[in-house]
Amino acid sequence: MDLLPVFQDVKGRPVLVVGGGTAAARKAELVSRAGAAVTVIAPGLGEDLARLAAERGIAHRTGDVGAADLEGCALAFGASDDMALNELVYDLAVAAGVPVNIVDRPELCQFIMPAILDRDGVVVAVSSGGDAPLLTRMMKARFETLVPTAYGRLARFGGAWRDRVKAAITDGDLRRRFWENVFEGPVAELVFSGRESEAAHAMEAQLDDIAGGKAARGPVGEVWLVGAGPGDPDLLTFRALRLMQQAEVVLYDRLIGDGILNMVRRDAERIYVGKAAKNHTVPQEDIGHMLVRLAGEGKRVLRLKGGDPFIFGRGGEEIEALAAEGIPFQVVPGITAASGCACYAGIPLTHRDHAQACVFVTGHGKDEKLGLDWEALIRPGQTIVIYMGLSMLPKLVKEYCAHGGAADMPAAIVEKGTHPDQRVVSGPIGELPSLAAKAGLGPPSLIIIGTVVTLRGDLAWYEAEEEAEIV
Ligand code: SAH
């Protein structure tokens, strides 16, 4: 380690920045955000610095830099285009014993500015000692995906409970374990999802147990019902990825591809609960009860759902059992198949010239009956997206036409949308069943009906290998 990382308190202390350009603005902004009293000396201010000076009350003057300008400074920066001036700043700062940083001159830096990830007060600073600033920025970006934005909120939450916990749990080891459970368990997840009052209840309950002489509860299990998007792992949310990496057991079905499953924590137990299961080890109990049982064992259970859990995902049914048993859970939205397939197939679901509305329906009716309200669906300027409709396609098309839908209405089927082997078949709806049969389309497939499909030619960036023609 070449440089010692420290976090310095510069609140209210003078900091000198020499130079008025973008580099000077970046330094001035950072130190001023940390509460320093910044003075900029430069013949003029660039746009960034001028705006910053107005917003943050940064002092500015023109003229020469002298020894008096360094007096009492916490830090000094030389960010001028004039190298001789920067060198003067360096000499003056060294003489005054003020730590100095000259931009782009590592040999004239007594300290460097790290790449900073600021999560509302919880700060990660990354440095390569000046060797590879780009690498540190990339590392920072990786942290950004891992550290929830609400980490600062969690830190403040913890801070507010610190004294009470200390009084309630005097044993240091026990206290550390308690806090580990808080920061990695349901309480943290409640804070991250903005449910601080529920988190406070959970804290109260645990401290009451301890005060009442009961053994501290073991780690409480919980369930995360997470939308994994339509297939491309890049479409996962940060929260989905974070929970996938914390889960101890994962329940998944056939919509979850290997690409996504591979991103679940490696040692997590994987349980396939898909309908097409030939695996006899899958318990017969329904998924809701399985979730309750696993969480009851103290496990962190991830229920991965394709797309969004609340869009034809039966997410609502699975959490009923959890709610009834008082098991903590959270639901994480995902990109639904309609959004994913439409974007990857180049079909905007709404468009000012084509559709002002878009409806999502399921083509998977009960007892072979579709039960669709065609009058409400077939409307000018409305795109229809049908989930789970492929097996009923001929019937769907027949009913569509019988209820006044035009047989030449443009329509498309997106098979395995967002996957590398996505296929798109499009044509007039009347011909869709034969086109689909010819292409041998299978699940999962999504049907899109509406004149927006004609925009595909203009927007498509993904070319299907086997493409039916739009007539
Ligand atoms: N909750 C999911 C939908 C589950 S219902 C979501 O929000 O996307 C299952 C249906 O979704 C499938 O029959 C199919 O119609 C559609 N679907 C899901 N993933 C798909 C994909 N990658 N490509 C095409 N259709 C998909």
Side-chain angles (χ1 to χ4, degrees), residues 230 255 306-308 311-313 336-337 341 386-388 414-417 419 444-446:
L255 279 181
D308 181 278
I311 296 183
F312 306 125
T336 189
C341 294
I386 307 180
Y387 287 68
M388 295 174 276
V414 184
E415 180 201 58
K416 290 196 187 159
H419 288 258
S445 283
L446 191 85

Coordinates of all heavy atoms in Angstrom, one line a residue, residues 230 255 306-308 311-313 336-337 341 386-388 414-417 419 444-446, ligand 1:
P230 N -37.3 -11.1 -18.5 CA -37.7 -12.1 -19.5 C -36.6 -13.0 -20.0 O -36.9 -13.9 -20.7 CB -38.1 -11.2 -20.7 CG -37.4 -9.9 -20.5 CD -37.1 -9.7 -19.0
L255 N -39.2 -20.7 -16.7 CA -38.9 -19.4 -17.4 C -37.5 -18.9 -17.0 O -37.1 -17.9 -17.6 CB -40.0 -18.4 -17.0 CG -41.3 -18.4 -17.7 CD1 -42.2 -17.3 -17.2 CD2 -41.1 -18.3 -19.2
G306 N -40.1 -15.5 -13.6 CA -39.8 -14.8 -14.9 C -40.5 -13.5 -15.0 O -41.6 -13.4 -14.5
G307 N -39.9 -12.5 -15.6 CA -40.6 -11.3 -15.9 C -40.9 -10.5 -14.6 O -40.0 -10.4 -13.7
D308 N -42.1 -10.1 -14.4 CA -42.5 -9.4 -13.1 C -43.4 -10.3 -12.3 O -44.3 -11.0 -12.9 CB -43.2 -8.1 -13.5 CG -43.6 -7.3 -12.3 OD1 -44.7 -7.6 -11.7 OD2 -42.9 -6.4 -12.0
I311 N -47.2 -9.7 -12.7 CA -47.9 -9.7 -14.0 C -48.0 -11.2 -14.4 O -47.0 -11.8 -14.8 CB -47.2 -8.9 -15.0 CG1 -47.2 -7.4 -14.5 CG2 -47.8 -9.0 -16.4 CD1 -46.6 -6.4 -15.5
F312 N -49.2 -11.8 -14.4 CA -49.4 -13.2 -14.7 C -48.4 -14.1 -14.1 O -47.9 -15.1 -14.6 CB -49.4 -13.4 -16.2 CG -50.4 -12.5 -16.9 CD1 -50.0 -11.6 -17.9 CD2 -51.7 -12.4 -16.5 CE1 -50.9 -10.8 -18.6 CE2 -52.6 -11.6 -17.1 CZ -52.2 -10.8 -18.1
G313 N -47.9 -13.7 -12.8 CA -46.8 -14.5 -12.2 C -47.3 -15.2 -11.0 O -46.6 -15.9 -10.4
T336 N -41.2 -7.0 -17.4 CA -42.1 -8.0 -17.8 C -41.9 -8.4 -19.3 O -41.3 -7.6 -20.0 CB -43.6 -7.5 -17.6 OG1 -44.5 -8.6 -17.8 CG2 -43.9 -6.4 -18.5
A337 N -42.4 -9.6 -19.7 CA -42.1 -10.1 -21.0 C -42.5 -9.1 -22.1 O -41.9 -8.9 -23.1 CB -42.8 -11.4 -21.2
C341 N -39.8 -8.2 -24.7 CA -39.9 -8.7 -26.1 C -40.1 -7.5 -27.0 O -39.6 -7.5 -28.1 CB -41.2 -9.6 -26.1 SG -40.9 -11.2 -25.2
I386 N -50.6 -10.5 -25.7 CA -51.2 -11.7 -25.1 C -50.1 -12.6 -24.6 O -49.2 -13.1 -25.3 CB -52.1 -12.5 -26.1 CG1 -53.1 -11.6 -26.8 CG2 -52.7 -13.7 -25.5 CD1 -54.0 -12.3 -27.8
Y387 N -50.2 -12.9 -23.2 CA -49.3 -13.8 -22.6 C -49.9 -15.2 -22.6 O -51.1 -15.3 -22.6 CB -49.1 -13.4 -21.1 CG -48.3 -12.2 -20.8 CD1 -48.7 -10.9 -21.2 CD2 -47.0 -12.3 -20.2 CE1 -47.9 -9.8 -20.9 CE2 -46.3 -11.2 -19.8 CZ -46.7 -9.9 -20.2 OH -46.0 -8.8 -19.9
M388 N -49.1 -16.2 -22.6 CA -49.5 -17.6 -22.6 C -50.6 -17.9 -23.7 O -51.5 -18.6 -23.4 CB -50.1 -17.9 -21.2 CG -49.1 -17.8 -20.1 SD -49.8 -18.0 -18.5 CE -50.4 -16.4 -18.1
V414 N -43.3 -13.2 -30.5 CA -41.9 -13.2 -30.1 C -41.6 -14.4 -29.3 O -42.2 -14.6 -28.2 CB -41.5 -11.9 -29.3 CG1 -40.0 -11.9 -29.0 CG2 -41.9 -10.7 -30.0
E415 N -40.8 -15.3 -29.8 CA -40.4 -16.5 -29.1 C -39.1 -16.3 -28.4 O -38.2 -15.8 -28.9 CB -40.3 -17.7 -30.1 CG -40.0 -19.0 -29.4 CD -39.4 -20.0 -30.4 OE1 -38.3 -19.7 -31.0 OE2 -39.9 -21.1 -30.6
K416 N -39.0 -16.7 -27.1 CA -37.8 -16.6 -26.3 C -37.3 -15.2 -26.3 O -36.1 -15.0 -26.6 CB -36.8 -17.6 -26.7 CG -37.1 -19.0 -26.4 CD -35.9 -19.9 -26.5 CE -36.2 -21.3 -26.4 NZ -35.2 -22.2 -27.0
G417 N -38.2 -14.2 -26.1 CA -37.7 -12.8 -26.2 C -36.6 -12.5 -25.3 O -36.5 -13.0 -24.2
H419 N -33.7 -13.6 -25.3 CA -32.7 -14.6 -25.3 C -31.8 -14.5 -26.5 O -32.3 -14.0 -27.5 CB -33.3 -16.0 -25.2 CG -33.9 -16.3 -23.9 ND1 -33.4 -17.1 -22.9 CD2 -35.1 -15.9 -23.3 CE1 -34.1 -17.2 -21.9 NE2 -35.2 -16.5 -22.1
P444 N -41.3 -20.1 -24.3 CA -42.3 -19.0 -24.1 C -42.5 -18.1 -25.3 O -41.5 -17.7 -25.9 CB -41.8 -18.3 -22.9 CG -40.3 -18.4 -23.1 CD -40.0 -19.7 -23.7
S445 N -43.7 -17.8 -25.6 CA -43.9 -16.9 -26.8 C -45.0 -15.9 -26.4 O -45.9 -16.2 -25.7 CB -44.4 -17.7 -28.0 OG -43.4 -18.4 -28.6
L446 N -44.8 -14.7 -26.9 CA -45.7 -13.6 -26.6 C -46.3 -13.1 -27.9 O -45.6 -12.9 -28.9 CB -44.9 -12.5 -25.9 CG -45.6 -11.3 -25.3 CD1 -46.0 -11.7 -23.9 CD2 -44.8 -10.1 -25.2
Ligands
SAH1 N1 -44.5 -12.9 -14.9 C1 -44.1 -13.1 -16.3 C2 -45.2 -13.8 -17.1 C3 -45.4 -15.2 -16.7 S1 -46.7 -15.9 -17.7 C4 -43.8 -11.7 -16.9 O1 -44.0 -10.7 -16.3 O2 -43.2 -11.7 -18.0 C5 -45.7 -16.8 -18.9 C6 -45.9 -16.2 -20.2 O3 -45.1 -15.0 -20.3 C7 -45.4 -17.1 -21.3 O4 -46.4 -18.0 -21.7 C8 -45.1 -16.0 -22.4 O5 -46.3 -15.6 -23.0 C9 -44.6 -14.9 -21.6 N2 -43.1 -14.8 -21.6 C10 -42.4 -14.9 -20.5 N3 -41.1 -14.8 -20.9 C11 -41.0 -14.7 -22.2 C12 -40.0 -14.5 -23.2 N4 -38.7 -14.5 -22.8 N5 -40.3 -14.5 -24.5 C13 -41.6 -14.5 -24.9 N6 -42.6 -14.6 -24.0 C14 -42.4 -14.7 -22.7

